[in-house]
Amino acid sequence: MKAAEDWLEPLYERLKAELLKREVLHADETTLQVLREPGKTAQSKSYIWLYRTGGDAEHPIVLYDYQPNRKAEHPQRFLEGWHGFLHADGYEGYHKLPGSVTIVGCMAHAGKRCCDKLFELERDFSDLAPEKRLEKRKEYSAPLMEELFAWAASCKAVPKSPVGKAVHYALSQRKYLENYLLDGRLEISNNRAERSIKPFVIGRKNWLFANTPRGARASAVMYSIIETAKENGPKPYDYLTRIFQTAPNLDLRYTDVLEKLLPHIFKTTAGV
């Protein structure tokens, strides 16, 4: 925990500052058990929130944030002052973010039957530049979206059936689901965030819980550094070794010092 606090946390904060410069982000969250959390029983739920860059980022950043609950105040605080597009699922906590944040819904949650054709179009558009992709979406995807919602509005599926649940999700989330049509950099789903939160979920099945909030925070920081390294090329072990060898001799209060420890910089200097 001390290693995370002294040498990794300053780098985490530097990565966060860089993350908040991006205009397209993804978010997700998952549960975490913290045994000794003030005012809570050991069996209660805490949360790890995930924030990461979009597919347009040259240097991806993946950050985890431990919080004692799932209240909307946590993404509000983490993203304070930020404006842009945020991919998220249907959780209403994200919908309480200020108007400077445009929520982009996840069509994957609407069910395969409902949006297969839209996903097929996205595969066709995947190699296009954002500007060209936006043009194609306006020409092909937007009319298809209109057809989808018209069908959903007239659908008589049983509410609790899989189709009924998908239809309800699509109609209730429509204003967010349509937002991916606003910018060619955006994605039709939030699968990018769900893939990034998976390593934490898999790890949790092995180590089960954190003992204290301090430990949970340290875990979030370490996962952030490791997963960001993996997306930028360096082997996490080599990258962490370099940090722990050099950071104790550096003044980590300065941005230019931290800049040299960023994963994509390490990749270049280490010849990875």
Side-chain angles (χ1 to χ4, degrees):
M1 286 189 289
K2 183 168 177 54
E5 290 167 356
D6 289 353
W7 315 125
L8 300 184
E9 189 127 16
L11 184 56
Y12 175 98
E13 293 299 329
R14 178 67 189 87
L15 287 168
K16 180 181 176 182
E18 189 62 31
L19 179 89
L20 296 179
K21 293 178 183 178
R22 311 295 173 84
E23 294 181 344
V24 178
L25 299 180
H26 292 250
D28 201 1
E29 73 287 334
T30 189
T31 56
L32 168 68
Q33 186 179 7
V34 180
L35 299 184
R36 301 181 183 180
E37 199 163 44
K40 297 173 66 176
T41 65
Q43 293 76 28
S44 60
K45 291 181 180 179
S46 297
Y47 281 82
I48 287 290
W49 297 73
L50 168 80
Y51 306 91
R52 64 151 301 144
T53 50
D56 65 315
E58 182 180 2
H59 306 302
I61 297 172
V62 181
L63 297 183
Y64 301 84
D65 181 42
Y66 152 73
Q67 294 296 343
N69 53 53
R70 203 188 185 197
K71 292 182 179 179
E73 64 192 46
H74 302 306
Q76 290 172 1
R77 186 181 303 116
F78 191 96
L79 298 170
E80 185 176 4
W82 179 76
H83 58 86
F85 297 99
L86 181 69
H87 292 80
D89 57 23
Y91 174 49
E92 64 179 13
Y94 297 113
H95 303 159
K96 296 178 181 179
L97 288 165
S100 57
V101 177
T102 300
I103 300 299
V104 182
C106 178
M107 284 297 294
H109 286 76
K112 184 176 177 64
R113 178 178 172 181
C114 293
C115 49
D116 253 4
K117 291 182 180 178
L118 288 168
F119 276 89
E120 186 176 330
L121 286 174
E122 288 304 303
R123 287 191 289 272
D124 292 341
F125 304 158
S126 61
D127 293 331
L128 300 178
E131 297 79 10
K132 190 65 176 178
R133 186 181 300 120
L134 182 60
E135 291 178 12
K136 292 292 185 181
R137 284 175 176 172
K138 288 180 178 179
E139 183 177 358
Y140 297 103
S141 303
L144 200 55
M145 286 282 279
E146 289 296 328
E147 291 180 20
L148 168 64
F149 289 118
W151 168 81
S154 63
C155 182
K156 304 300 182 182
V158 177
K160 292 187 178 181
S161 68
V163 173
K165 290 179 180 179
V167 165
H168 172 74
Y169 175 86
L171 292 175
S172 64
Q173 298 292 314
R174 177 172 181 171
K175 65 179 181 179
Y176 306 113
L177 295 173
E178 291 179 318
N179 282 342
Y180 89 97
L181 300 174
L182 297 175
D183 192 300
R185 296 170 299 172
L186 305 178
E187 298 174 37
I188 193 173
S189 76
N190 195 32
N191 289 345
R192 188 175 296 274
E194 293 179 5
R195 288 194 299 269
S196 290
I197 209 165
K198 190 175 181 179
F200 190 92
V201 173
I202 293 173
R204 186 184 59 203
K205 291 181 179 178
N206 294 300
W207 45 260
L208 301 179
F209 53 79
N211 190 38
T212 65
R214 184 184 172 207
R217 170 65 180 175
S219 292
V221 169
M222 285 187 273
Y223 266 91
S224 300
I225 302 302
I226 290 170
E227 292 303 316
T228 298
K230 285 164 63 176
E231 294 228 4
N232 283 275
K235 295 178 181 179
Y237 180 85
D238 295 340
Y239 181 51
L240 289 172
T241 298
R242 171 71 69 86
I243 291 173
F244 292 135
Q245 284 176 339
T246 59
N249 301 313
L250 301 174
D251 190 336
L252 300 182
R253 293 174 298 174
Y254 296 99
T255 300
D256 60 335
V257 173
L258 289 168
E259 197 80 22
K260 296 175 182 177
L261 295 177
L262 294 177
H264 66 278
I265 300 297
F266 172 84
K267 177 183 177 181
T268 302
T269 58
V272 176

